[in-house]
Amino acid sequence: MDDPVLRVQSQLTGRDRVLLGCLYDHGVLTSFQIATALFPSLDFCQRRLRTLYRLRLVARFRPQRADGGSYPYHYVIDQLGAEVVAAARDERPPRRDHARVERRRWTATRTLAHRLGVNGFFTDLAGHARTHPGAVLAEWLPEVACQRAGTFMLPQDPALLRAYQPRVRPDGYGRWVDGGVEVPFFLEYDTGGEQLSILAGKVTGYRELFGTLGRAWPVLFWLHSAVRERNFRRVIGEVPLPVPVVTGARDHATTTGLSPAEAVWAIAAGGAGQRLCLADLAGYVVDASGRAGEAA
């Protein structure tokens, strides 16, 4: 009996497999985000995406703009692609309607812009790593994975901790490595529509998580604008910060042409407003012994 998963295996490159895994884990990516993260040019990327589309490994849709025209193609996993990923990971095959449900979810959801913003942050990091030897986005976990029991446990952690389920809901977790320096971090992606007091209140959940784990790493608040960043820092400066909070503004990064890997970050407490690279935040990672790294 012909197995479509086996039939398509020989036509996949290593980069194809990475892309399929990203779509399976993170839901939706635009053609521009995929090109940034994985390809040397947009044209090369689009040609390969057309091939994967014809093989029915990926599906796509193009939202309409309210003021006319359309956005670039948005790509999601197709059913065969989901089965290929599950087989490669030695996981149970996805449900037969997995791709249809996912596609409907992202074409109809009001949170599409937020998800694309979060994913754009990480694909920008991946793109920086692709063009800068020594840098790598070593890990990228979506929101749902961050909430699973045991996700952030270490082999030496007590067995009871493995049942602990974090109550905090970060938009993503990453582990950035640059020049041998490693920085794990959580991301909070701000669209500009949430009250700043609510945004600041999320720090409480991280305090509980880090207190339970006995270690801590930076929580990055990637804010809509420099004005909103200043206002957020004013709000959050009114209370003691039990976790390392770091802020950055997307319009500042865009204006200066900098990626999230570069000097766009400012420590919320005691940082004197100096902008740091992501790798510089290694000085604010607290290990299991309670010691922080060397501050940059």
Side-chain angles (χ1 to χ4, degrees):
M1 184 176 182
D2 184 31
D3 186 334
V5 173
L6 294 178
R7 186 179 68 247
V8 79
Q9 294 279 10
S10 62
Q11 301 179 62
L12 295 178
T13 67
R15 178 162 45 199
D16 293 337
R17 296 178 187 277
V18 172
L19 170 56
L20 294 177
C22 285
L23 291 175
Y24 188 79
D25 291 335
H26 304 289
V28 57
L29 294 167
T30 69
S31 53
F32 289 102
Q33 290 173 340
I34 294 168
T36 296
L38 295 171
F39 289 85
S41 72
L42 179 61
D43 183 61
F44 184 10
C45 172
Q46 290 173 328
R47 290 200 305 270
R48 190 58 189 166
L49 285 171
R50 285 194 291 269
T51 298
L52 297 178
Y53 177 72
R54 287 196 297 268
L55 291 171
R56 305 193 72 174
L57 291 162
V58 301
R60 66 189 185 185
F61 63 95
R62 178 176 278 176
Q64 299 299 307
R65 292 182 182 272
D67 56 352
S70 60
Y71 289 98
Y73 274 121
H74 291 44
Y75 284 85
V76 294
I77 199 77
D78 210 340
Q79 189 65 29
L80 180 56
E83 292 172 4
V84 167
V85 173
R89 296 177 178 180
D90 198 23
E91 297 175 352
R92 294 180 60 182
R95 298 186 321 181
R96 292 186 178 184
D97 64 347
H98 175 87
R100 178 176 59 82
V101 170
E102 283 293 294
R103 185 164 56 249
R104 180 177 298 173
R105 174 187 180 192
W106 294 117
T107 54
T109 183
R110 295 182 178 180
T111 61
L112 175 61
H114 180 265
R115 175 56 67 94
L116 288 173
V118 172
N119 290 353
F121 175 91
F122 284 98
T123 55
D124 282 348
L125 282 181
H128 182 93
R130 182 175 57 79
T131 57
H132 291 76
V136 61
L137 180 59
E139 195 169 6
W140 171 17
L141 298 180
E143 175 186 342
V144 64
C146 294
Q147 297 174 54
R148 293 182 189 136
T151 295
F152 302 107
M153 299 300 106
L154 297 176
Q156 65 268 28
D157 285 336
L160 286 176
L161 273 185
R162 301 192 179 281
Y164 171 71
Q165 186 169 5
R167 287 193 288 180
V168 68
R169 298 185 61 178
D171 292 318
Y173 165 85
R175 186 160 52 85
W176 179 249
V177 180
D178 192 354
V181 174
E182 182 174 306
V183 183
F185 63 88
F186 281 123
L187 175 68
E188 289 287 346
Y189 183 91
D190 167 56
T191 60
E194 197 168 33
Q195 290 184 7
L196 292 176
S197 57
I198 294 176
L199 199 62
K202 295 182 179 183
V203 173
T204 302
Y206 289 104
R207 177 177 59 193
E208 178 188 302
L209 172 63
F210 294 149
T212 301
L213 296 179
R215 49 189 176 272
W217 43 85
V219 180
L220 310 183
F221 284 83
W222 194 222
L223 292 131
H224 175 69
S225 67
V227 171
R228 189 163 166 85
E229 182 189 15
R230 287 195 297 272
N231 292 335
F232 176 72
R233 291 174 67 85
R234 189 178 304 114
V235 170
I236 210 163
E238 296 174 357
V239 295
L241 292 180
V243 301
V245 172
V246 187
T247 66
R250 294 196 296 282
D251 64 351
H252 165 72
T254 299
T255 300
T256 56
L258 298 175
S259 79
E262 298 174 288
V264 297
W265 302 107
I267 303 300
Q274 179 187 4
R275 294 290 176 178
L276 304 174
C277 295
L278 186 53
D280 296 331
L281 302 182
Y284 300 91
V285 176
V286 179
D287 64 20
S289 68
R291 295 174 299 185
E294 299 250 334

